[in-house]
Amino acid sequence: DVKVTQSSRYLVKRTGEKVFLECVQDMDHENMFWYRQDPGLGLRLIYFSYDVKMKEKGDIPEGYSVSREKKERFSLILESASTNQTSMYLCAAGTSGGGEQFFGPGTRLTVL
Amino acid sequence: GEDVEQSLFLSVREGDSSVINCTYTDSSSTYLYWYKQEPGAGLQLLTYIFSNMDMKQDQRLTVLLNKKDKHLSLRIADTQTGDSAIYFCAESMITGRRALTFGSGTRLQVQP
């Protein structure tokens, strides 16, 4: 019954490293999203994509980029990781008409 | 703009009913969601409701929507210790950006 998977549950990287977070969905949904979750700040939208090769900035896109080469896969890229990007990263997928949005299990990233 | 607010904490005794409240500000047609997050886990979609509905019931869960006051509630009947988690209210538009706007989450603690 797996719907959204993320490549890693836990990740530790060093400042300045390039980091790839992968997300795959098996529901054939058009929309995919990347959020980060921080204590006291809730979930905030980083980027989203409504179609292959299409992307839109969310509320906090600085320091991140994304890639969507195939419908089922949405990647979040930290070009040069910094300590303030230590967080829980959550990927989600949903239909273009709204309604259900399913989340992956999350990746807890620590940048040292 | 969208803004979603929730109280931070709720404590109930096992077997009692829990009611978690949420207010939202967007007046457009929208979907409203309840998600559950257990410690160390991702977000699990519990239920969602379209803004032209007043109520939705699913086993122990009842969602009530007061459109006039922009107030959404989640009632959990016969609350169990396994219901202890953080519950997030979220909102998304039916047109344009489909990303979710989250409340800060309500931590539900169930006392045995």
Side-chain angles (χ1 to χ4, degrees), chain A residues 3-99:
Chain A
K3 295 181 172 67
V4 182
T5 57
Q6 295 183 228
S7 50
S8 305
R9 291 300 305 274
Y10 301 94
L11 210 52
V12 179
K13 296 291 181 181
R14 295 208 173 272
T15 302
E17 282 193 78
K18 190 168 185 175
V19 182
F20 292 87
L21 302 183
E22 304 285 341
C23 174
V24 177
Q25 53 114 350
D26 64 1
M27 301 170 288
D28 201 35
H29 285 343
E30 295 83 5
N31 296 338
M32 296 188 75
F33 310 86
W34 276 106
Y35 298 86
R36 64 177 280 178
Q37 183 180 15
D38 300 289
L41 297 176
L43 281 86
R44 294 176 291 167
L45 179 68
I46 304 171
Y47 264 97
F48 66 103
S49 168
Y50 51 88
D51 203 351
V52 175
K53 296 191 187 297
M54 306 299 282
K55 60 187 179 184
E56 294 275 347
K57 291 180 180 179
D59 300 319
I60 51 164
E62 295 79 19
Y64 303 94
S65 62
V66 290
S67 171
R68 192 161 180 208
E69 296 296 318
K70 293 185 177 181
K71 190 176 186 180
E72 68 270 18
R73 188 179 297 269
F74 192 36
S75 303
L76 181 70
I77 303 154
L78 287 67
E79 294 289 342
S80 177
S82 63
T83 54
N84 63 11
Q85 292 178 308
T86 291
S87 186
M88 169 74 94
Y89 290 87
L90 293 160
C91 174
T95 63
S96 59

Side-chain angles (χ1 to χ4, degrees), chain B residues 2-110:
Chain B
E2 301 165 22
D3 193 17
V4 180
E5 294 188 356
Q6 302 177 239
S7 53
L8 291 180
F9 186 75
L10 176 66
S11 180
V12 300
R13 291 202 174 276
E14 194 172 16
D16 288 350
S17 292
S18 306
V19 180
I20 302 171
N21 296 302
C22 170
T23 58
Y24 63 99
T25 58
D26 201 285
S27 58
S28 306
S29 295
T30 187
Y31 285 98
L32 296 149
Y33 303 78
W34 284 105
Y35 284 88
K36 176 184 180 182
Q37 187 178 37
E38 297 182 54
L43 272 69
Q44 175 193 353
L45 177 63
L46 292 177
T47 187
Y48 68 98
I49 191 170
F50 188 55
S51 57
N52 67 353
M53 298 169 65
D54 297 321
M55 186 183 95
K56 183 176 181 180
Q57 187 159 4
D58 183 4
Q59 299 182 333
R60 292 191 298 124
L61 304 179
T62 303
V63 176
L64 293 176
L65 176 61
N66 180 327
K67 289 184 282 293
K68 176 175 169 291
D69 295 337
K70 295 189 176 62
H71 181 266
L72 182 76
S73 67
L74 174 69
R75 178 176 180 270
I76 306 172
D78 187 25
T79 312
Q80 303 297 307
T81 54
D83 294 324
S84 293
I86 300 176
Y87 290 81
F88 289 93
C89 171
E91 174 184 40
S92 76
M93 304 290 291
I94 64 164
T95 58
R97 191 170 105 164
R98 301 255 191 277
L100 299 172
T101 298
F102 284 87
S104 54
T106 299
R107 182 177 294 278
L108 175 64
Q109 183 179 72
V110 183

